[in-house]
């Protein structure tokens, strides 16, 4: 996450994950299913993952816990909250995965992604509902700088009024990403999208400010 201007205690925010009946846990399981499916399809080749505003990293790390091929994954988890970054690091140590790096830094600037891109899987979860609409569009416009050829992007966003998800889906399409899945359950306001990058990767531009958390 990005702590600048944020008023949310992001460590406490994670406590909803402890309740398996919570909508946050439900959304997490859906994201994890898509990560697991992607790992199945990509096996057995080595793959790279980039997670922006990764929190404690459980979306990826809990999936890797149950896999015998976790060692083929090289990942960079970017998280500004020191407490969440520490928990992610502890989880990585328990898994004994030296190819996963936790960077305690601001994911809102492109410099945070140095040597972590292009990636085969880009996770943009828990971001779009906490930043300004212009930052959402700016981040999506930068995805060709984050993605390897044929990369997959998984993102989340609530659908409360005004629902930005139709624009988000169109912005992704406009930057070379084809939609593979869009889950918007009737009983909840969350949504999960999965897009595949079919465009040409672009070099990373240094010193870009992509996003700032405002909640």
């Amino acid at each position: 996450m990005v702590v600048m201007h944020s008023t949310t205690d992001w460590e406490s925010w994670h406590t909803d994950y402890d309740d398996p009946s919570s909508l946050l846990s439900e959304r997490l399981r859906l994201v994890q299913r898509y990560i697991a499916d992607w790992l199945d399809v990509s096996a057995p080749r080595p793959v790279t993952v980039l997670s922006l505003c990764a929190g404690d990293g459980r979306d990826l790390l809990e999936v890797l816990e149950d896999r015998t091929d976790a060692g083929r994954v090289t990942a960079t988890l970017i998280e500004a909250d020191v407490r969440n970054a520490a928990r992610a690091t502890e989880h990585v140590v328990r898994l004994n995965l030296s190819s996963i790096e936790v960077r305690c830094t601001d994911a809102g600037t492109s410099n945070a992604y140095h040597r972590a891109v292009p990636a085969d899987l880009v996770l943009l979860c828990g971001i779009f509902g906490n930043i300004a609409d212009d930052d959402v569009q700016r981040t999506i416009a930068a995805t060709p700088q984050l993605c390897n050829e044929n990369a997959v992007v998984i993102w989340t966003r609530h659908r409360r009024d005004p629902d930005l998800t139709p624009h988000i889906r169109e912005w992704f399409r406009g930057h070379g990403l084809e939609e593979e899945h869009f889950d918007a359950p009737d009983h909840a306001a969350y949504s999960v999208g999965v897009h595949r990058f079919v465009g040409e990767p672009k070099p990373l531009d240094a010193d870009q400010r992509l996003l700032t958390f405002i909640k």
Side-chain angles (χ1 to χ4, degrees), residues 3-57:
V3 295
M4 186 181 299
H5 305 312
S6 177
T7 59
T8 301
D9 183 334
W10 291 104
E11 183 184 41
S12 298
W13 181 88
H14 280 69
T15 58
D16 276 354
Y17 284 127
D18 297 330
D19 178 4
S21 66
S22 73
L23 291 176
L24 190 61
S25 290
E26 180 179 291
R27 189 191 76 178
L28 172 65
R29 290 191 293 271
L30 183 55
V31 169
Q32 290 177 328
R33 190 189 81 196
Y34 283 128
I35 293 173
D37 288 347
W38 173 79
L39 286 168
D40 288 342
V41 170
S42 66
R45 64 181 176 87
V47 290
T48 55
V49 180
L50 172 66
S51 180
L52 281 65
C53 310
D56 61 11

Side-chain angles (χ1 to χ4, degrees), residues 96-175:
N96 194 29
L97 293 174
S98 59
S99 60
I100 298 181
E101 177 186 5
V102 179
R103 296 183 183 177
C104 188
T105 190
D106 179 5
T109 175
S110 62
N111 293 341
Y113 316 138
H114 182 56
R115 295 194 306 273
V117 296
D120 300 310
L121 174 67
V122 177
L123 300 177
L124 300 173
C125 301
I127 300 175
F128 290 164
N130 297 296
I131 61 179
D133 293 357
D134 286 348
D135 281 3
V136 175
Q137 189 170 10
R138 188 177 299 110
T139 301
I140 293 172
T143 51
Q145 302 175 41
L146 310 180
C147 289
N148 211 340
E149 292 183 1
N150 203 41
V152 167
V153 175
I154 302 175
W155 58 275
T156 64
R157 160 77 190 207
H158 67 75
R159 291 176 288 113
R160 294 186 292 273
D161 290 335
D163 183 3
L164 192 65
T165 60
H167 296 291
I168 291 173
R169 298 165 75 185
E170 184 60 34
W171 291 336
F172 273 118
R173 284 191 290 268
H175 290 283

